[in-house]
Amino acid sequence: MKISHKLILAFSVLIVILTAEIILNQVITNRATKTYETLQSEINPTLSVLKHYESINKEFTLLLNNRVNGDDRISSINRIRGIIDVELAYLEAELKSIKESIPIENPDKLLIEELIKDTEKLISISEKLKLLFKNSKNQQDLLNTAKGIYQSDILVLHASIDKNINQLNVNYKREFEAYNNELAKNLKNVSNIILLTGTFGIILALIITFQITYSISDPIFKLKKAALKMSKGNLDERVQITGDNELAELGKHFNHMANALKKSFNEQENQIEEIKSVNKELEQFVYVASHDLQEPLRTMSSYVGLIRELYIDKLDDNASKYMSHVEDASLRMKTLIKDLLDYSKIGKEKTVTTVDLNQIVKDILTDHELIIKDSNATVDYDVLPTVNGLEVELKQLFQNLINNGLKFRKEGTDPHVQIQVEDQGEYWQFSVKDNGIGMDKKFHERVFIIFQRLHNRNDYQGTGIGLSICKKIVDMHKGEIWIESEVNQGSTFYFTIFKDLNEI
């Protein structure tokens, strides 16, 4: 299954779980809300009315008892009138309202009806007592009659009302507890559903996450491991990713790339071997040709010198001039052949040794002491490191760059050469800076090509092979060489040498 399909499936399952949780929570929450509304709209108001009625019933009975026994305080009389005219009427109306809300099959309906009848009787008898208290002229007769009504009717109604109220309180409190327990149960169910679905969702999410993560991370780890091995030169490394997803396709493309890379690398190796073979043959040819050319060149130079020595008096001015041209050409040819031999000999001895560059520079300055003194030049250098390399070639590298600084000097300016070094991690970076004539930027690459000259031979001697020798030596030490220069602003040659060089 493709990773995108797995993700869609995982999110679909989680959405289903969340939807089910929302629906169940809504159903149970609706039930809890209905229970709570029943408590608030029916049971609690009824209990409140019953509690109020219970209090009024006791107070009214006590006030009547005091009144029939001679209590004629205005406050007591007014309170009795207030209970008869207001409180009992209000309680009767509330009881009738409660009765209407109670289903017919509910046994509490009968108790409410009895309580309403008793209330109506109590109101009626109370009205009689009120008229009696108002119309009677004989106070003692009033009290006797009222006491008789109180003892025969009021106390009976008081007992009946109190009994019914107590029974209704018991019933409604039982209903209150039942509804309260149902509400608590519903709320607990909501909590349980949230807990269970949440736990299940988390576990499922962890399983899905682990499965998807593993299906992604394991192939990526294999690809990373294979890429790392290939970066270290193991082009035979391949990845095995099973399945029918994007990463499996990536693994196949990776293997195709590795095969193409190995094929290309093998072809390059073959081409490199061919180039090495051709270069070796060319170097051998140059070496042999240069070596073999020296003998006829020496012979020709000897005969030219002999002719000049024996027949100088017999030669006219033109012949003498031509002989001088031949001698100059022979000398340049000799220098050129020597430089070719030097170039072809570079790297013949490929034994890497420990080379103290401080000693190398000291030896070069000793060899060039007269030139430095005659030109009033100065050469400064940092404390240089000891490196692994070819001693003869490294000496030639520094010698050629120092020679350039001394040779290509500006007129009227004393030459100054400065050698510096920086640690660049895996490489040492050197710079040889001079204050000479410099060069245009367009020649920065050209100067490292063999036999490339930027100046007239009469102005500056040389064959144009020195910097190409420097480049070849730096390449052998796995480094790079470049130049920064402007006309009349001097030149700075930079080159690097690999620190951990073990073989060429």
Side-chain angles (χ1 to χ4, degrees):
M1 182 184 292
K2 293 186 177 296
I3 295 174
S4 57
H5 295 166
K6 288 183 179 180
L7 291 172
I8 292 172
L9 177 61
F11 281 116
S12 299
V13 171
L14 290 176
I15 289 172
V16 170
I17 292 173
L18 291 174
T19 303
E21 179 183 358
I22 292 171
I23 293 173
L24 289 173
N25 283 341
Q26 189 63 44
V27 171
I28 296 176
T29 301
N30 288 339
R31 289 172 58 186
T33 302
K34 186 177 179 181
T35 302
Y36 179 77
E37 289 175 351
T38 301
L39 285 172
Q40 295 298 319
S41 63
E42 298 180 13
I43 295 178
N44 282 340
T46 302
L47 287 173
S48 179
V49 170
L50 292 175
K51 183 177 180 181
H52 182 58
Y53 199 171
E54 185 179 18
S55 174
I56 291 297
N57 187 36
K58 289 179 180 179
E59 182 186 6
F60 187 56
T61 303
L62 180 61
L63 288 172
L64 286 179
N65 179 58
N66 293 336
R67 181 73 180 95
V68 296
N69 286 310
D71 184 7
D72 57 356
R73 290 177 299 174
I74 299 299
S75 60
S76 297
I77 294 171
N78 290 336
R79 179 58 181 156
I80 290 172
R81 289 175 180 174
I83 291 174
I84 294 171
D85 294 338
V86 179
E87 297 287 358
L88 292 177
Y90 165 75
L91 290 171
E92 182 185 12
E94 287 296 319
L95 290 172
K96 287 180 180 179
S97 176
I98 293 171
K99 174 188 171 183
E100 295 298 325
S101 65
I102 298 175
I104 297 176
E105 64 275 10
N106 192 328
D108 290 339
K109 194 177 186 71
L110 295 175
L111 292 175
I112 293 293
E113 288 177 351
E114 290 181 11
L115 192 58
I116 292 172
K117 290 178 181 179
D118 289 342
T119 304
E120 290 174 348
K121 289 179 182 179
L122 182 61
I123 292 172
S124 176
I125 293 172
S126 298
E127 290 289 343
K128 290 179 180 180
L129 283 175
K130 187 169 68 170
L131 290 174
L132 185 62
F133 288 141
K134 181 178 180 182
N135 297 328
S136 179
K137 297 179 179 180
N138 189 326
Q139 186 68 23
Q140 188 61 41
D141 291 342
L142 167 65
L143 293 175
N144 291 334
T145 303
K147 186 179 293 186
I149 296 173
Y150 172 76
Q151 291 176 348
S152 62
D153 296 328
I154 297 295
L155 288 178
V156 173
L157 286 173
H158 169 74
S160 177
I161 290 171
D162 192 56
K163 177 184 174 183
N164 288 332
I165 288 175
N166 288 336
Q167 185 61 48
L168 285 169
N169 272 328
V170 170
N171 293 346
Y172 272 98
K173 285 181 179 178
R174 190 181 296 118
E175 287 185 40
F176 178 83
E177 290 179 0
Y179 276 109
N180 204 33
N181 290 336
E182 183 180 354
L183 178 61
K185 182 180 178 181
N186 289 335
L187 293 176
K188 185 177 181 181
N189 288 337
V190 171
S191 299
N192 289 337
I193 289 174
I194 293 174
L195 179 62
L196 290 174
T197 54
T199 303
F200 179 72
I202 291 172
I203 293 173
L204 183 62
L206 289 174
I207 293 173
I208 293 173
T209 300
F210 177 79
Q211 203 278 331
I212 293 177
T213 301
Y214 179 77
S215 66
I216 295 175
S217 62
D218 185 61
I220 290 176
F221 176 76
K222 291 180 179 178
L223 286 168
K224 177 184 175 182
K225 185 177 179 182
L228 183 61
K229 289 185 177 180
M230 290 184 66
S231 69
K232 293 181 179 180
N234 184 5
L235 298 181
D236 294 323
E237 185 68 20
R238 299 293 183 271
V239 293
Q240 299 296 329
I241 301 176
T242 58
D244 184 25
N245 55 40
E246 295 87 343
L247 289 173
E249 294 178 4
L250 180 60
K252 293 178 183 177
H253 291 307
F254 181 89
N255 291 336
H256 291 326
M257 179 195 71
N259 292 332
L261 186 62
K262 184 179 180 181
K263 181 180 178 182
S264 175
F265 186 78
N266 290 337
E267 291 175 353
Q268 288 183 2
E269 278 192 329
N270 293 334
Q271 292 175 355
I272 290 171
E273 290 300 323
E274 292 177 0
I275 292 171
K276 284 182 178 180
S277 177
V278 171
N279 283 341
K280 188 175 181 180
E281 292 176 359
L282 287 173
E283 287 180 357
Q284 187 65 24
F285 170 78
V286 170
Y287 178 78
V288 172
S290 302
H291 185 271
D292 290 349
L293 283 172
Q294 288 187 92
E295 185 59 30
L297 182 60
R298 280 196 295 267
T299 302
M300 183 178 68
S301 299
S302 298
Y303 277 109
V304 169
L306 187 60
I307 291 172
R308 177 182 286 277
E309 181 181 347
L310 295 178
Y311 301 103
I312 188 64
D313 296 334
K314 299 179 180 180
L315 298 176
D316 58 17
D317 291 340
N318 286 333
S320 295
K321 184 174 70 173
Y322 298 152
M323 291 299 295
S324 296
H325 288 333
V326 172
E327 285 181 327
D328 291 341
S330 299
L331 183 60
R332 289 197 303 273
M333 179 65 76
K334 182 179 180 180
T335 303
L336 183 60
I337 290 173
K338 180 181 178 299
D339 288 342
L340 279 174
L341 279 172
D342 291 339
Y343 187 82
S344 64
K345 288 178 181 178
I346 293 174
K348 289 289 185 181
E349 179 58 46
K350 295 185 178 181
T351 303
V352 176
T353 59
T354 301
V355 183
D356 183 358
L357 297 181
N358 293 289
Q359 189 60 47
I360 290 288
V361 174
K362 286 179 182 178
D363 292 344
I364 294 171
L365 296 183
T366 300
D367 294 341
H368 291 68
E369 185 175 357
L370 291 177
I371 298 175
I372 294 172
K373 186 176 181 180
D374 290 342
S375 60
N376 200 27
T378 55
V379 179
D380 299 325
Y381 59 96
D382 293 345
V383 176
L384 302 176
T386 298
V387 300
N388 294 335
L390 305 178
E391 183 174 2
V392 174
E393 280 76 4
L394 287 173
K395 182 176 182 179
Q396 190 168 4
L397 170 62
F398 279 92
Q399 182 174 284
N400 286 355
L401 294 176
I402 293 172
N403 280 341
N404 272 0
L406 298 175
K407 181 168 64 174
F408 296 102
R409 60 179 179 267
K410 289 189 291 187
E411 187 175 351
T413 302
D414 295 335
H416 176 68
V417 178
Q418 185 177 13
I419 304 172
Q420 294 179 315
V421 63
E422 288 184 11
D423 189 343
Q424 297 288 341
E426 294 183 347
Y427 294 86
W428 291 110
Q429 178 177 297
F430 298 89
S431 63
V432 180
K433 182 179 181 181
D434 63 55
N435 62 343
I437 60 175
M439 68 180 73
D440 194 281
K441 189 175 181 179
K442 64 183 178 181
F443 299 121
H444 287 185
E445 296 292 334
R446 177 180 166 186
V447 292
F448 295 107
I449 301 174
I450 193 169
F451 298 132
Q452 293 296 314
R453 292 179 53 85
L454 305 183
H455 307 283
N456 190 287
R457 187 176 289 105
N458 295 326
D459 295 331
Y460 298 100
Q461 295 181 355
T463 58
I465 201 172
L467 289 178
S468 61
I469 290 176
C470 292
K471 186 176 188 315
K472 186 175 181 181
I473 294 171
V474 171
D475 290 342
M476 293 174 65
H477 289 78
K478 298 183 180 180
E480 296 180 354
I481 185 169
W482 67 97
I483 182 176
E484 292 181 1
S485 179
E486 294 181 13
V487 177
N488 293 323
Q489 298 298 320
S491 301
T492 303
F493 288 89
Y494 294 92
F495 64 92
T496 57
I497 293 178
F498 186 59
K499 287 183 179 180
D500 296 329
L501 189 68
N502 295 317
E503 60 181 15
I504 300 299

